[in-house]
Amino acid sequence: MGDCVRAAAAKALVPVITGKGSLATLDDHQVVARDRALFKAMCFGVCRTLPRLEALAAQLLEKPFKSRDADIQALLLLGAYQLLYLRIPAHAAVCETAGAARLLGKAWATRVLNGCLRRLQRESSTLEAEVDRDPAVALLHPRWWLKSLRQAWPDDWQAICEANNQPGPMTLRVNRRHNDREQYLDILDGAGISARLCAHAPDGLVLETARDVEALPGFAQGHVSVQDEAAQLAAVLLGPVVAPRPGARVLDACCAPGGKTAHLLELFDVDLHAIDSDAARLARVEDTLTRLGLSATLAQGDATERDWWDGTPFDAILLDAPCSGSGVIRRHPDIKRLRRPSDIAQLAQLQRALLDNLWPLLKPGGTLLYATCSVLPEENRDQIRDFLARTPDASEQMPDGIAWGQVSGAGRQLLPKVDSHDGFFYARLVKAGR
């Protein structure tokens, strides 16, 4: 029944709209198989358009719901999202959303929801025009996000917002141990799946339409993985460093969920050590490597400490640092609600601690690749500038001829693009001596 999936979506959204949890636990909710796609589409869609939906809800309600009725607020947001953004018949969007209140044990709310959603159906153009006078509503970003993006990227901030507000494309990484991407493109074509080559990642393909991974030819056998084009560039940047050194000792710090770990192992003969502080996320890395038929030395460990290290230095280190996620908001739209302005300074302190702790673990002449999925200078350009200033034996060594992103201090910044890559930052640093 349609009210069941809407009740489940409301329960899943309560932690997000109250600022107490994320969408990471969606798979924990019991939803029948036929409704899972709609369930996820509604949850992600509400988070993506939350500023507008909440502004409309405030217009529709005589007074706000009490805090204990956050689930009813979530139902109102879900109903508004269906009416404005999904191709669901209006009567179903209204009636089944209102009816879901009974499943939440709050039958009193059905009349309120029905009245609010009927009004929105009648007056959507007028109400949207009214709330969109606020730029934070029109651009679907909290004010502090808009201020940060505008300060960082005065010529690009609106395009960043536009990209953040669209679902990211489904991008694949072809495992060269089985096929190159042109061969796999032919395999996809034979299966009736349309895709195109990535512009910058040599192993990347972008699907015209997202689909379940189990429908991808050879997925279970490790022929292909899901990974954004920007994330695939880590292996491109580390390749010239490790390819000439068979058996090079490489550390992937903060490795989960393991896409970059796997990509390096698919391409190069390396002795790869991967650590992550989260045991559950580390288990995902192990699952990924098992599917791909790859192996690495995995260990749970905090990369700001060294109790996991055996004392042998590394030829190369990949530091994919924890960050604001401001470059991947389109894939994690709950970030817009859950992240706070104070988080940025705290994350920058963590990134500094990671850089300072890991740099001594690098051999003389070794390379550290710093990466974030952020577009904020505090985490990227400024972070690396300050590291170089306090680290005499470190220097920037980004390769010449890079055709992607733009120069940003000692690194390279990609901004999120509609139907293309996520936002990412890379800086390649080399340690003096041999």
Side-chain angles (χ1 to χ4, degrees):
M1 294 177 63
D3 49 358
C4 292
V5 66
R6 289 161 175 81
K11 291 177 183 177
L13 285 168
V14 166
V16 178
I17 66 176
T18 58
K20 298 177 180 178
S22 72
L23 294 180
T25 59
L26 283 191
D27 289 337
D28 296 340
H29 292 266
Q30 298 300 312
V31 178
V32 296
R34 70 174 181 273
D35 289 335
R36 289 210 66 82
L38 175 60
F39 169 71
K40 289 191 173 183
M42 289 193 298
C43 290
F44 276 86
V46 166
C47 290
R48 192 168 281 118
T49 56
L50 194 56
R52 180 176 288 135
L53 298 180
E54 289 186 324
L56 289 168
Q59 294 285 321
L60 295 168
L61 291 167
E62 291 184 7
K63 58 181 180 179
F65 291 117
K66 293 180 171 63
S67 59
R68 65 173 178 266
D69 296 318
D71 50 354
I72 303 303
Q73 171 77 357
L75 279 179
L76 179 55
L77 302 177
L78 282 162
Y81 179 73
Q82 292 167 74
L83 288 173
L84 298 177
Y85 294 100
L86 293 184
R87 295 178 181 177
I88 291 177
H91 69 274
V94 174
C95 295
E96 294 185 1
T97 301
R102 295 189 180 91
L103 297 180
L104 299 176
K106 298 179 178 179
W108 60 265
T110 56
R111 179 174 294 184
V112 177
L113 292 169
N114 189 70
C116 288
L117 294 174
R118 294 291 183 197
R119 183 185 168 200
L120 178 60
Q121 186 183 359
R122 295 191 306 269
E123 304 175 26
S124 61
S125 297
T126 301
L127 290 169
E128 285 189 273
E130 175 67 23
V131 299
D132 279 351
R133 291 164 62 184
D134 182 348
V137 173
L139 294 172
L140 304 179
H141 284 65
R143 288 182 182 85
W144 80 268
W145 269 120
L146 293 183
K147 181 180 179 181
S148 295
L149 293 174
R150 192 167 191 168
Q151 287 178 341
W153 303 103
D155 297 327
D156 303 292
W157 67 281
Q158 289 177 301
I160 294 172
C161 290
E162 180 184 359
N164 287 349
N165 294 337
Q166 300 293 323
M170 185 170 179
T171 305
L172 307 180
R173 184 190 75 242
V174 177
N175 185 349
R176 282 194 222 171
R177 294 186 174 213
H178 296 279
N179 301 285
D180 61 31
R181 64 175 181 171
E182 286 77 12
Q183 291 170 323
Y184 192 76
L185 191 63
D186 290 339
I187 294 172
L188 288 177
D189 185 63
I193 300 174
S194 297
R196 66 180 188 275
L197 302 179
C198 285
H200 307 299
D203 299 316
L205 297 172
V206 180
L207 297 185
E208 294 298 328
T209 304
R211 59 189 60 230
D212 190 279
V213 293
E214 301 301 333
L216 298 173
F219 179 82
Q221 294 75 34
H223 292 205
V224 68
S225 299
V226 178
Q227 187 181 38
D228 182 74
E229 179 179 17
Q232 294 184 40
L233 296 173
V236 174
L237 290 170
L238 277 177
V241 175
V242 298
R245 303 179 184 179
R249 183 175 166 88
V250 177
L251 171 66
D252 185 355
C254 313
C255 65
K260 299 179 187 68
T261 310
H263 198 191
L264 289 170
L265 290 168
E266 288 170 0
L267 294 176
F268 308 113
D269 173 15
V270 291
D271 174 19
L272 199 145
H273 298 248
I275 66 167
D276 200 272
S277 60
D278 188 314
R281 284 168 56 82
L282 195 64
R284 290 179 58 194
V285 179
E286 186 171 13
D287 291 343
T288 294
L289 297 183
T290 298
R291 179 180 65 83
L292 294 167
L294 302 169
S295 62
T297 301
L298 303 182
Q300 184 178 358
D302 181 349
T304 64
E305 304 289 343
R306 299 182 192 170
D307 52 359
W308 48 268
W309 183 44
D310 64 6
T312 304
F314 296 95
D315 296 289
I317 296 175
L318 169 60
L319 172 54
D320 189 6
C323 69
S324 64
S326 52
V328 292
I329 285 175
R330 61 186 187 172
R331 301 193 189 277
H332 305 281
D334 47 354
I335 287 174
K336 288 191 283 189
R337 168 53 59 89
L338 301 176
R339 190 65 72 201
R340 297 286 182 267
S342 58
D343 293 342
I344 307 306
Q346 293 173 2
L347 286 163
Q349 289 179 348
L350 174 58
Q351 293 150 7
R352 178 187 177 113
L354 289 165
L355 281 164
D356 289 346
N357 186 61
L358 294 175
W359 186 254
L361 278 56
L362 194 62
K363 290 180 181 178
T367 298
L368 185 148
L369 181 64
Y370 176 83
T372 74
C373 54
S374 171
V375 299
L376 300 180
E378 300 97 313
E379 303 180 275
N380 298 335
R381 180 196 66 203
D382 298 351
Q383 184 69 255
I384 297 303
R385 177 201 63 203
D386 294 347
F387 175 74
L388 291 172
R390 68 177 181 271
T391 313
D393 61 347
S395 60
E396 172 271 333
Q397 197 189 62
M398 289 295 282
D400 296 329
I402 293 179
W404 44 263
Q406 54 189 286
V407 174
S408 183
R412 199 85 180 180
Q413 179 73 62
L414 298 107
L415 301 177
K417 303 291 184 184
V418 175
D419 293 326
S420 185
H421 54 70
D422 292 342
F424 239 85
F425 175 84
Y426 287 106
R428 200 173 73 177
L429 310 172
V430 65
K431 192 170 190 176
R434 281 291 177 186

